[in-house]
Amino acid sequence: MKTDVLVLGAGIVGVSAALHLQERGRSVVLADRGETGGGTSYGNAGLIERSSVVPYAFPREIGTLLKYALNNASDVRYEPTHLPRILPWLARYWWHSSPARLDKSARALLPLVEASVSEHDRLIERSGAAHLIREKGWISVYKDPQKFAAARADAESLSPFGLQMRIIDREDFIALEPAFAGSGEKLAGGVHWLDPKTVTDPQALTKAYADLFLYNGGIFATADAADLREEKNGWSLKSETGDIIEAGEIVVALGPQSGLVFRKLGYRLPLGIKRGYHRHYAQAEGAPLRHSVVDEEAGYVLAPMARGIRLTTGIEFAAPDAPANMIQLRRCEDHARQLVALGEPFEQTPWLGLRPCLPDMRPVIGPGPRHRGLWFNFGHAHHGLTLGPASGRLLAEQMCGEAPFADPAPFHPQRFL
Ligand SMILES: Cc1cc2nc3c(=O)[nH]c(=O)nc-3n(C[C@H](O)[C@H](O)[C@H](O)COP(=O)(O)OP(=O)(O)OC[C@H]3O[C@@H](n4cnc5c(N)ncnc54)[C@H](O)[C@@H]3O)c2cc1C
């Protein structure tokens, strides 16, 4: 089977890239060893985060660092035995989080963040996936009045970005979200971010986009990227059914597993992993949850989703293949139950996902400089659902020789080589 482009990885990033290449007339095979959208794209919090104009940086305030060092916080946890292995990566992350470098990354990402909703909207319309989308934004809430005041000032400082948002006090919040009526005086207020959209089933959205790709003549192959071979005039991959896929160009969109290919090809890119969990809970008696709500102090999201209320956790630093650890999820659940009536969890074992992260908080989108026909598109960290379609567009524009809608230089892998 011959194709122009072989996209490795059918998560939101790979599927979006495949669609953008197909739109530009390329024949494309999309390959994954598992189900479409079955990786990190399966279990995220479903926020198409148009309002995240500043990426998640490494904290620099002494108080916050001390809090995390104690390792009993609910938003960030680390496995002590894993820490020595990731210290060099954390040090780079810290270095890139200085105000000036963070500003550089935020500016580089801004065109992609700005295009995030409109690029999704186009694919949502073409794939008939509007039933998976809610258009009510999301709400961040605060318990501590001082933290609420600081969040309010932070939100207002973003006014140059033209974001639509509303500062809400406790009463406004309860009016929007009666499910939290039992939280008494525990909440100080919040920010209602109005530009973002939310998804009720992120895997179903990725599958809807993949169905559009198939409908328009794209091919899906079940294959293990470990079997990729470099050939004289391109690349080849043996599929599960024994077919050999031959392609002039490949796109590595394997999310957290991208190292499998780039390391084999000799690229030393600092891809780190931030783990995160989710679990679904029944809706307790009373008002249903209407919006995705983020408890910013405890660091979890409650999202009304197709399978129930999905609670997603913040960051866990542990070996990617280490078994799931219930501590962080339990801490978040304890916090959540103080604010809202949650029913029983649906799953015994929580879902565990791996966020693919680069220390400068920017994904790698661009050509592998030492190989012909090698392209990278991975490392979207906390915002892969948000950025998938926009980064697919940026990649396809480069591959097809079009003028890119955003400056691709800050995403080039060369910055680490
Ligand atoms: C708890 C949590 C909450 C999150 N919430 C949000 C959110 O609200 N909004 C947001 O924008 N982002 C969110 N994210 C981040 C987002 O989910 C990721 O950035 C995004 O899913 C990454 O997509 P991807 O396509 O790069 O990777 P993946 O979805 O992991 O796709 C990679 C694909 O590669 C395949 N693959 C791996 N190895 C091989 C192999 N050897 N051969 C063939 N195929 C292989 C996998 O099967 C998989 O399908 C969250 C992440 C977590 C963990």
Side-chain angles (χ1 to χ4, degrees), residues 8-14 31-35 37-49 223-226 253-257 260 274-278 312-314 351 353-356 377-387:
L8 300 169
I12 188 67
V13 172
D32 201 294
R33 66 178 172 191
E35 217 189 332
T40 319
S41 301
Y42 170 83
N44 56 57
L47 309 177
I48 300 178
E49 235 309 55
D224 190 335
L254 296 164
Q257 284 87 25
L260 175 77
K274 293 179 182 173
R275 305 194 338 163
Y277 296 89
H278 86 216
T312 63
T313 69
W351 172 82
L354 309 177
R355 298 178 185 91
N377 192 7
F378 59 81
H380 295 73
H382 293 260
H383 294 120
L385 172 66
T386 305
L387 300 174

Side-chain angles (χ1 to χ4, degrees), residues 55-325:
Y56 283 105
F58 195 102
R60 296 193 140 229
E61 311 76 45
I62 289 293
T64 314
L65 290 170
L66 281 175
K67 176 183 113 173
Y68 292 143
L70 294 173
N71 207 15
N72 55 15
S74 53
D75 53 345
V76 179
R77 176 185 176 269
Y78 59 89
E79 199 52 56
T81 53
H82 185 60
L83 208 51
R85 290 191 55 194
I86 55 158
L87 268 181
W89 188 90
L90 289 176
R92 287 175 87 167
Y93 182 21
W94 177 84
W95 190 81
H96 282 289
S97 297
S98 74
R101 293 183 196 101
L102 178 62
D103 184 60
K104 187 177 163 195
S105 285
R107 280 172 197 276
L109 279 161
L110 189 60
L112 277 74
V113 175
E114 284 176 340
S116 60
V117 168
S118 54
E119 286 297 325
H120 266 288
D121 279 349
R122 229 171 46 81
L123 297 184
I124 289 163
E125 198 195 329
R126 288 182 59 214
S127 63
H131 60 288
L132 299 170
I133 307 299
R134 283 205 175 94
E135 306 205 357
K136 300 192 215 169
W138 63 275
I139 304 173
S140 54
V141 288
Y142 298 84
K143 289 166 265 192
D144 178 342
Q146 278 183 344
K147 294 212 165 97
F148 175 42
R152 178 187 189 131
D154 281 350
E156 284 167 354
S157 76
L158 297 178
S159 63
F161 295 100
L163 299 174
Q164 293 189 64
M165 55 94 183
R166 208 161 71 86
I167 306 292
I168 50 179
D169 62 18
R170 204 193 85 85
E171 283 69 36
D172 297 332
F173 175 61
I174 302 297
L176 284 168
E177 265 312 337
F180 283 74
S183 60
E185 295 304 309
K186 291 193 191 88
L187 287 172
V191 183
H192 188 181
W193 300 96
L194 295 158
D195 300 291
K197 295 189 178 179
T198 59
V199 183
T200 55
D201 186 339
Q203 183 184 30
L205 187 72
T206 308
K207 283 187 167 175
Y209 292 176
D211 285 346
L212 173 66
F213 165 75
L214 297 178
Y215 181 79
N216 288 327
I219 292 173
F220 179 85
T222 303
D224 190 335
D227 297 330
L228 180 77
R229 283 165 176 267
E230 197 185 344
E231 306 288 352
K232 223 161 117 201
N233 293 316
W235 306 87
S236 74
L237 179 68
K238 192 175 180 179
S239 78
E240 203 183 56
T241 52
D243 293 320
I244 304 291
I245 306 155
E246 292 174 353
E249 296 181 283
I250 57 165
V251 176
V252 180
L254 296 164
Q257 284 87 25
S258 299
L260 175 77
V261 172
F262 71 67
R263 276 187 214 111
K264 207 159 103 180
L265 297 173
Y267 293 89
R268 294 187 60 195
L269 299 168
L271 182 65
I273 299 295
K274 293 179 182 173
R275 305 194 338 163
Y277 296 89
H278 86 216
R279 186 135 93 151
H280 294 99
Y281 297 82
Q283 176 77 55
E285 289 288 305
L289 189 67
R290 297 173 178 170
H291 299 78
S292 295
V293 175
V294 181
D295 177 343
E296 296 283 356
E297 287 161 56
Y300 62 87
V301 181
L302 288 174
M305 290 230 178
R307 295 185 182 84
I309 299 180
R310 179 179 285 187
L311 186 158
T312 63
T313 69
I315 300 158
E316 183 183 60
F317 290 107
D321 54 356
N325 180 320

